[in-house]
Amino acid sequence: MTVYAYVDGPLGRMLLVGRGGEDGGRTALVSLSLPGQKGGAAVEDGWRHAPEAFQEIAGQLDEYFAGRRERFDIPFTQSGTEFQQRVWSALEAIPYGATVSYGDIARTVGSSGAGVRAVGTAIGRNPLLVVRPCHRVIGADGSLRGYAAGLERKERLLGLERAV
């Protein structure tokens, strides 16, 4: 069953979408979307509003935004193409407080050169903003480039991590 909840945070009201959590099990995060996010999730018919299913995830987000958590320890569903999964795995390896370029990610996944654009597209389709840290990817010249929820939010996340 797909469940959802809204959680308020410094970036706005986040929509959390998950699966599972029945019988006291952990809810696997499917999506974390921010207000106005390009390609963000929207509540669908048949989804159940279940804030209680997201207590662990919401707690970890609170710790992150308070500067007390550097990595998330939550289950999430696998989605995307094989290429997107390779790119998203590379995002998960970027340390807290660090940044890498789109070219760095392309080289990591074996797709350098013209593949940088494909990497940017895959990053832009990341359904787990904040949790899967696509905000840590910047331009080769050190400039902030692209973020589905807006560059202001990307800058704010990097500032929280003191990476800018």
Side-chain angles (χ1 to χ4, degrees), residues 72-157:
F72 292 92
D73 178 27
I74 54 175
F76 52 85
T77 61
Q78 292 295 331
S79 64
T81 66
E82 186 271 333
F83 178 73
Q84 288 171 333
Q85 289 177 16
R86 286 194 346 249
V87 170
W88 297 342
S89 180
L91 295 178
E92 292 165 12
I94 305 169
Y96 180 93
T99 57
V100 300
S101 72
Y102 290 91
D104 293 333
I105 297 290
R107 282 186 289 283
T108 297
V109 301
S111 185
S112 57
V116 172
R117 185 167 287 194
V119 163
T121 299
I123 290 171
R125 292 195 176 132
N126 172 20
L128 301 174
L129 294 191
V130 182
V131 173
R132 185 181 288 139
C134 56
H135 59 274
R136 296 179 187 156
V137 183
I138 60 174
D141 61 359
S143 63
L144 297 186
R145 304 244 185 228
Y147 190 61
L151 289 179
E152 179 182 298
R153 288 188 176 121
K154 182 173 189 164
E155 185 172 27
R156 193 158 182 192
L157 288 167

Side-chain angles (χ1 to χ4, degrees), residues 1-74:
M1 167 173 281
T2 301
V3 293
Y4 74 95
Y6 292 99
V7 175
D8 290 320
L11 302 177
R13 192 172 196 211
M14 298 173 281
L15 171 60
L16 307 180
V17 179
R19 289 203 184 99
E22 294 90 18
D23 302 322
R26 295 175 84 190
T27 299
L29 192 62
V30 173
S31 173
L32 187 159
S33 300
L34 297 167
Q37 173 185 330
K38 177 182 169 188
V43 176
E44 297 181 17
D45 289 339
W47 289 7
R48 184 172 59 89
H49 185 244
E52 69 283 356
F54 296 95
Q55 287 179 337
E56 177 185 10
I57 297 167
Q60 289 189 33
L61 286 165
D62 286 344
E63 290 170 359
Y64 171 79
F65 288 122
R68 297 188 317 267
R69 174 173 289 276
E70 295 183 2
R71 294 195 59 80
F72 292 92
D73 178 27
I74 54 175

